[in-house]
Amino acid sequence: MKNKIIILFSVLMLAGISSSAQELQPFFEVGRFDKAIPELSRQVESTLVNAGYEILGSYHPENKDTLFVVCFTSNSLKQFSLQFPDRGPLAAVMKVGFIRTQGKTILSIVNPEYMFLAYYGQQMGGHGDAMKAQSQEVTSLFGKMGKLTPFGGAVEQKRLMHYHYKIMMPYFDDPDDLATFDSFEEGLRVIQKNLNEEKGNTRKVYQLIFPKQKIAVFGVALLDPETGEADFLPTIGESHIAAMPYEIILQGEKATSLAGKYRIALYWPELGMGTFMKIIKTPGRIEDAMKALTTE
């Protein structure tokens, strides 16, 4: 009887390990550091550059000095993203979040594999091994700075590959259609002009342009105090700021952005419907802000 109990316990333990291995969370906490944000961010950026990564941009979400995000990429991330025709370059940009609280700076990163599976899942084909290799490169680098602890809400990998929050809610391939231009060059001109003018209290955090493929990705800070990040991030959780900034992608003549009801749910999967109801206007406001950036 004792042996049977031991065997049963072992089977249950293995089942639990197998089950957890099939789930991912959207972020990793790297650690909590005594250094202030400016010093720690310089260290992180130096580490990234020395490892061959390119810093694309940075900003303070909500215009708060206690919040900071650094966006980066690499040649391999960019080339890998081009293997996926449906807005693949959205996942070419990785993000690092910094939060200063109680005398410590909390450092976090977006989980690359989580993002890859969400954005590339339905297009993965035979790229699974390459995806894991790209993810491992990023996580190994930050793993040298601290112990990576996943957080943000567990989502099963199979569900992540075709994620949506609830029935009738949008998927990755249900984007907000922003504008259709006469040409890629025209779209690029309009969006860059509006971002340079900080139209609608927005700010360009980064741009990533693939001229040959006629694709451009823009990281957009939403800094309007009434309708932007300062309105919704405190409600849904500032600890997830490595999900920011929001993006516009221009492919050929068409500009789109991920639907707010998809993107917010993806990076805040633990939120209940009650919390989402508190930001019920946010997805529409984000869409309006993005459309304004694609309009003369």
Side-chain angles (χ1 to χ4, degrees):
M1 179 67 179
K2 183 178 180 180
N3 288 339
K4 288 183 178 179
I5 293 174
I6 292 172
I7 291 171
L8 178 60
F9 178 76
S10 298
V11 169
L12 290 173
M13 285 291 291
L14 288 172
I17 292 171
S18 174
S19 175
S20 63
Q22 301 303 311
E23 294 180 336
L24 292 172
Q25 300 201 51
F27 307 98
F28 288 111
E29 182 178 305
V30 180
R32 300 182 176 219
F33 301 85
D34 293 328
K35 295 176 180 178
I37 287 177
E39 184 181 1
L40 185 59
S41 64
R42 286 194 295 270
Q43 179 186 337
V44 168
E45 290 185 15
S46 177
T47 298
L48 286 166
V49 170
N50 289 337
Y53 289 94
E54 173 189 357
I55 307 300
L56 293 175
S58 59
Y59 85 117
H60 292 281
E62 306 177 44
N63 269 330
K64 280 188 177 180
D65 290 341
T66 54
L67 303 177
F68 194 60
V69 170
V70 171
C71 306
F72 67 95
T73 190
S74 67
N75 287 333
S76 61
L77 282 169
K78 288 187 281 189
Q79 292 306 310
F80 182 60
S81 75
L82 292 172
Q83 307 303 307
F84 305 96
D86 186 7
R87 289 163 292 139
L90 283 175
V93 182
M94 298 288 136
K95 289 124 179 196
V96 192
F98 302 76
I99 300 175
R100 188 69 177 173
T101 180
Q102 298 180 342
K104 297 284 186 180
T105 300
I106 304 171
L107 181 65
S108 64
I109 60 171
V110 69
N111 181 344
E113 188 174 0
Y114 184 98
M115 181 168 65
F116 290 156
L117 282 176
Y119 292 7
Y120 299 158
Q122 295 301 301
Q123 310 174 71
M124 190 62 68
H127 296 290
D129 290 343
M131 177 205 72
K132 290 181 180 178
Q134 292 289 338
S135 177
Q136 184 65 30
E137 284 186 17
V138 175
T139 55
S140 293
L141 183 63
F142 282 91
K144 295 174 183 177
M145 295 188 65
K147 181 181 178 182
L148 300 188
T149 304
F151 75 95
V155 180
E156 291 184 0
Q157 291 188 31
K158 287 185 177 180
R159 182 177 175 226
L160 190 57
M161 294 173 71
H162 199 53
Y163 183 82
H164 73 151
Y165 178 61
K166 298 285 185 183
I167 189 169
M168 303 301 290
M169 295 285 269
Y171 293 83
F172 176 81
D173 54 5
D174 296 317
D176 290 334
D177 292 323
L178 304 178
T180 301
F181 300 95
D182 292 336
S183 67
F184 171 73
E185 291 74 19
E186 176 69 3
L188 196 60
R189 182 192 66 79
V190 170
I191 296 170
Q192 287 178 326
K193 175 178 178 290
N194 287 329
L195 283 171
N196 289 338
E197 293 175 355
E198 299 186 353
K199 186 175 182 180
N201 258 332
T202 61
R203 187 177 303 159
K204 181 174 69 178
V205 179
Y206 69 82
Q207 65 179 23
L208 185 60
I209 301 175
F210 301 84
K212 184 177 178 180
Q213 291 81 12
K214 296 186 182 296
I215 298 173
V217 181
F218 302 89
V220 181
L222 301 167
L223 300 179
D224 189 290
E226 301 297 327
T227 61
E229 297 160 355
D231 177 60
F232 64 85
L233 282 179
T235 301
I236 61 177
E238 294 174 336
S239 61
H240 294 210
I241 58 164
M244 304 305 291
Y246 224 88
E247 306 95 351
I248 290 174
I249 183 166
L250 176 66
Q251 285 187 286
E253 299 84 20
K254 189 171 184 178
T256 62
S257 60
L258 294 179
K261 291 179 181 179
Y262 169 83
R263 195 186 187 285
I264 293 172
L266 177 68
Y267 290 109
W268 282 265
E270 285 185 318
L271 294 183
M273 185 57 74
T275 304
F276 276 114
M277 291 302 292
K278 293 178 181 178
I279 60 159
I280 192 169
K281 295 181 180 179
T282 295
R285 287 170 171 172
I286 293 174
E287 183 179 4
D288 289 343
M290 297 299 174
K291 282 185 175 179
L293 290 171
T294 61
T295 304
E296 287 270 35

